Amino acid sequence: MTAPVTFILGMHNSGTSLLARLAALLGLELGPEVLTRDSFEAKPAYDYWEHAGIVELQDEALHRLGRHWGTPQSHLPIPPEAWSLPEITRIAEALGAILDRELAAARSSNRPWGFKDPRTVRLLPLWRRLLAKRGLEARYLISLRDPAIVTASFADKGRVAPADAEALWRRSYLEALAGSAGAPRLVVDYDAWLDQPETQAAALAEFLGQPQAADAALAAVRAAIDPALRRTHAAPLRLAPFTVATAECLRAMIGGREPEARIAALLDRAAAADRRAAARPDGTAAA
């Protein structure tokens, strides 16, 4: 039986790169096409551990859907009918070819395969179709970081307004919750790698079926993280109540807990907000 495909989800700047690296050290196959610092002429501050082909295709998909992460429309809902557009179907077929190739290689090495890309969370309906067509299952690692810090950082990096960055943060995690419902999932706290590394390394190793490798993961964490780089104080941003509620729900899930009523209420609230947005001429709704 083929192991579940592992999706590493989270907003940009939320610790997904570190999580992908640790997952790889715990036996997850990321494939030969991952983006590291050496993949770029102007080297970034850290390795991305993203699949180059998937990133390219998903960036194109978001552009064609009018939801690219560098635009003010990045956080708006994607209409269900959009997944059947010819250009999106073409991209889906190309992603499916990558999926087939990577899974075949992973099977030959007897390792589970997965990938990390912050863009994925907006395209989960497409990925669910690809997996269903192949009879594959999924499991999800969700990296969480303080939304005030992420919003400020991403607004600067993506050159978008803080309000749009916050809305994309909220959309990313609400869609992560909706898209991973019913599947194995683990919320991982970025700051806990400094505050509670032993507990979190053990939870990650257990989730990936490698409990005996927890000590190795812990050693890798300590080697990878410089505590001096952590921003201990959030940027002076006043987050919307809905953003705060989303973050609080995700924090309650850390370690594998599933507060089902709380998650359901949050997703109901999101659906209601989208219905209100659809009724407005500008397509937006108050948080």
Side-chain angles (χ1 to χ4, degrees), residues 10-287:
M11 172 69 173
H12 301 263
N13 296 17
S14 291
T16 54
S17 296
L18 174 62
L19 183 54
R21 177 57 177 156
L22 294 174
L25 291 171
L26 288 168
L28 184 68
E29 179 60 63
L30 299 177
E33 298 183 42
V34 292
L35 296 170
T36 65
R37 278 168 283 197
D38 292 337
S39 305
F40 301 90
E41 184 174 339
K43 298 190 187 322
Y46 53 88
D47 297 319
Y48 291 161
W49 302 112
E50 296 172 353
H51 190 290
I54 292 176
V55 166
E56 182 178 358
L57 287 166
Q58 296 200 140
D59 228 26
E60 181 186 355
L62 291 175
H63 270 300
R64 291 187 176 277
L65 291 167
R67 300 294 185 267
H68 189 262
W69 53 267
T71 67
Q73 295 78 32
S74 65
H75 62 279
L76 296 180
I78 296 173
E81 60 271 19
W83 306 117
S84 299
L85 293 171
E87 57 268 33
I88 301 303
T89 299
R90 173 185 58 78
I91 292 171
E93 290 173 352
L95 288 171
I98 290 176
L99 177 62
D100 293 337
R101 184 173 70 247
E102 295 291 351
L103 286 177
R107 278 193 293 269
S108 68
S109 62
N110 199 30
R111 297 179 67 183
W113 178 79
F115 70 100
K116 164 254 172 174
D117 181 9
R119 301 161 184 79
T120 305
V121 72
R122 299 247 53 202
L123 301 171
L124 282 178
L126 182 154
W127 280 101
R128 286 200 300 272
R129 290 186 180 187
L130 292 176
L131 266 59
K133 183 178 179 181
R134 292 161 173 80
L136 297 170
E137 296 183 348
R139 61 183 176 180
Y140 299 87
L141 286 168
I142 302 172
S143 186
L144 176 66
R145 192 180 184 188
D146 186 318
I149 292 176
V150 174
T151 292
S153 174
F154 183 73
D156 180 60
K157 171 186 173 181
R159 298 182 180 179
V160 298
D164 292 326
E166 180 184 346
L168 180 58
W169 184 96
R170 190 170 58 244
R171 174 70 63 182
S172 295
Y173 287 98
L174 290 168
E175 291 190 344
L177 287 173
S180 64
R185 60 186 173 189
L186 180 70
V187 177
V188 177
D189 181 10
Y190 177 83
D191 288 324
W193 290 123
L194 283 167
D195 300 332
Q196 299 175 336
E198 298 86 357
T199 301
Q200 189 145 273
L204 178 60
E206 181 72 28
F207 182 80
L208 292 174
Q210 300 289 331
Q212 75 284 354
D215 289 344
L218 183 58
V221 168
R222 288 173 170 155
I225 293 184
D226 178 1
L229 296 179
R230 182 173 74 168
R231 295 172 61 182
T232 56
H233 299 289
L237 294 173
R238 185 175 181 179
L239 299 174
F242 196 6
T243 302
V244 174
T246 303
E248 289 176 347
C249 180
L250 286 155
R251 289 191 188 102
M253 297 173 66
I254 291 170
R257 295 175 289 275
E258 287 282 327
E260 295 181 5
R262 194 169 181 178
I263 295 168
L266 197 67
L267 294 178
D268 285 345
R269 182 174 176 181
D274 283 347
R275 288 193 294 271
R276 292 195 300 272
R280 288 168 59 94
D282 60 359
T284 62

